[in-house]
Amino acid sequence: MKIEGQSFVVTGGCGFIGANLVKDLVNRGAGEVRVLDKELREASLGDAQASGRVKLYKVDVTRPQELLGPMKGAQGLFHMAVLPLGPSNTDLRMALDINVVGGFNVYDAAVQGGIQKVVYSSASSVYGDTDAVVDESHPLNTVNMYGATKLTGELLLRAFATHKGLGYVILRYMNVYGPGQTGGLINAVINRLRQNQPPLVFGLGNQSFDYVHVSDIVQANIAAMASEVSGEAFNVGGDEEFSVLQIIGILQKLMGTDMKPEFRPAPSGDVGRRVGSSQKARRMLGYQPSVPFSEGLRQLVGTGARA
Ligand SMILES: NC(=O)c1ccc[n+]([C@@H]2O[C@H](COP(=O)([O-])OP(=O)(O)OC[C@H]3O[C@@H](n4cnc5c(N)ncnc54)[C@H](O)[C@@H]3O)[C@@H](O)[C@H]2O)c1
């Protein structure tokens, strides 16, 4: 599906990744971008609204009747609305309502509205805790509620493809970072260092992750929507691995401090390693991560220093 001139729905479009995607869709000449979110944080959309092609809908995905109008006549849907990891793992029922029933409502409304293709934001959490570098054939061993709901969102989408002919691509993101993010390790460390406080490390700090810049996640979403590919799941990562202590080290260098981190006990269920292979997305979607981690951190800290 081409992007230029077409109408797209972005659920969770005022969130971190959604807002970055909305801006990119506008820049690529999308005819209309319908932003669905239960909290309309217009500031997150920057200049995108000045284009006159962004429409905002205050919509809760748990209320099916609110979804029908905004879906009508759009060609593509990016489903990003979510109860995030932390709250999902403490309020299990709310996670079920928003991520599972909400997902069902979104797909159902998409079918009724005539949408042809859905790109679903899934997560590497579906693989569970593993030391292996995961590709898409890795068993789906999630044991927490967030992972369970993200995986169920995938399965429901497959069912809608079977019964209603909905086209889809599933993208399983590794750890995303970049402008507009409010939570997460990188923000927490930068904020502590800015306040001259030692960064906090939960556990030994040797937990390691695959970090991917939000602009590369946006690129993968666009490629997934634009390509003819349907019925596939892809990892989307940066193909680089960094431990918590390495990340703190890079940030300290960029910010010109060497404050010793403070160590705290690791929370239960903490993941030791989460690293993915994005080879399939490279091969089938032409995905190519373009922001090296050190460069992304440098931009975020906003200094001229080199990591
Ligand atoms: N950020 C990451 O590192 C990461 C990693 C893996 C997967 N993902 C997935 O990417 C997607 C976007 O993540 P994000 O980091 O931008 O999250 P975010 O929390 O920044 O944005 C989610 C948005 O969904 C909206 N929302 C929540 N409940 C809603 C409801 N009931 N109805 C309508 N809108 C609702 C929120 O208001 C928010 O704007 C999610 O599906 C998430 O599971 C993110």
Side-chain angles (χ1 to χ4, degrees):
M1 178 187 308
K2 73 180 175 86
I3 303 296
E4 209 181 332
Q6 306 293 307
S7 296
F8 297 97
V9 174
V10 184
T11 70
C14 291
F16 164 45
I17 300 172
N20 277 285
L21 174 67
V22 168
K23 290 180 220 169
D24 194 72
L25 283 167
V26 167
N27 289 339
R28 286 173 191 270
E32 192 169 88
V33 185
R34 305 176 187 173
V35 175
L36 275 57
D37 208 297
K38 73 167 186 191
E39 285 172 38
L40 294 182
R41 292 176 303 277
E42 297 187 36
S44 68
L45 301 172
D47 293 340
Q49 280 182 279
S51 68
R53 285 177 280 128
V54 175
K55 276 196 172 169
L56 297 176
Y57 297 86
K58 192 170 162 51
V59 159
D60 189 326
V61 295
T62 63
R63 301 200 189 115
Q65 65 283 6
E66 292 181 4
L67 290 162
L68 293 175
M71 298 279 180
K72 217 171 258 164
Q75 281 80 43
L77 162 72
F78 299 89
H79 178 39
M80 299 200 168
V82 76
L83 185 69
L85 183 138
S88 282
N89 289 342
T90 49
D91 193 335
L92 311 192
R93 182 162 296 279
M94 196 187 289
L96 178 77
D97 289 344
I98 296 177
N99 299 354
V100 178
V101 180
F104 178 95
N105 293 338
V106 167
Y107 305 148
D108 192 37
V111 168
Q112 292 187 54
I115 283 176
Q116 296 147 33
K117 188 171 187 179
V118 177
V119 178
Y120 170 56
S121 291
S122 187
S124 58
S125 302
V126 298
Y127 296 117
D129 194 4
T130 170
D131 269 348
V133 174
V134 290
D135 66 16
E136 293 79 359
S137 66
H138 189 280
L140 302 169
N141 283 338
T142 182
V143 290
N144 64 38
M145 188 63 184
Y146 176 72
T149 62
K150 295 307 295 183
L151 180 56
T152 309
E154 293 189 9
L155 297 173
L156 290 173
L157 192 47
R158 290 180 202 271
F160 269 89
T162 303
H163 302 299
K164 303 287 178 184
L166 190 59
Y168 74 90
V169 168
I170 292 162
L171 299 179
R172 296 177 183 147
Y173 309 152
M174 300 296 147
N175 279 48
V176 191
Y177 75 102
Q181 189 170 32
T182 49
L185 168 78
I186 292 170
N187 267 317
V189 174
I190 293 176
N191 288 340
R192 297 276 298 182
L193 293 176
R194 282 202 175 123
Q195 290 159 18
N196 254 338
Q197 292 177 322
L200 299 178
V201 174
F202 296 89
L204 298 174
N206 56 355
Q207 312 93 313
S208 61
F209 301 99
D210 175 343
Y211 272 90
V212 52
H213 194 266
V214 67
S215 61
D216 286 326
I217 292 291
V218 167
Q219 180 212 131
N221 272 275
I222 298 289
M225 184 61 81
S227 84
E228 294 298 313
V229 172
S230 186
E232 296 282 345
F234 299 94
N235 290 340
V236 187
D239 289 351
E240 291 184 284
E241 178 174 1
F242 291 90
S243 73
V244 171
L245 288 180
Q246 281 174 323
I247 293 168
I248 291 175
I250 298 172
L251 288 171
Q252 283 185 320
K253 212 164 164 190
L254 285 168
M255 297 174 77
T257 132
D258 60 358
M259 228 177 310
K260 292 262 172 301
E262 252 178 51
F263 289 84
R264 301 274 163 84
S268 66
D270 202 26
V271 171
R273 186 181 190 219
R274 176 80 52 70
V275 181
S277 159
S278 306
Q279 287 306 316
K280 184 179 171 188
R282 285 176 188 258
R283 212 174 53 246
M284 290 180 67
L285 297 177
Y287 169 69
Q288 181 78 49
S290 64
V291 185
F293 190 48
S294 54
E295 174 59 22
L297 289 185
R298 193 185 64 77
Q299 287 173 12
L300 215 50
V301 169
T303 72
R306 288 254 146 236

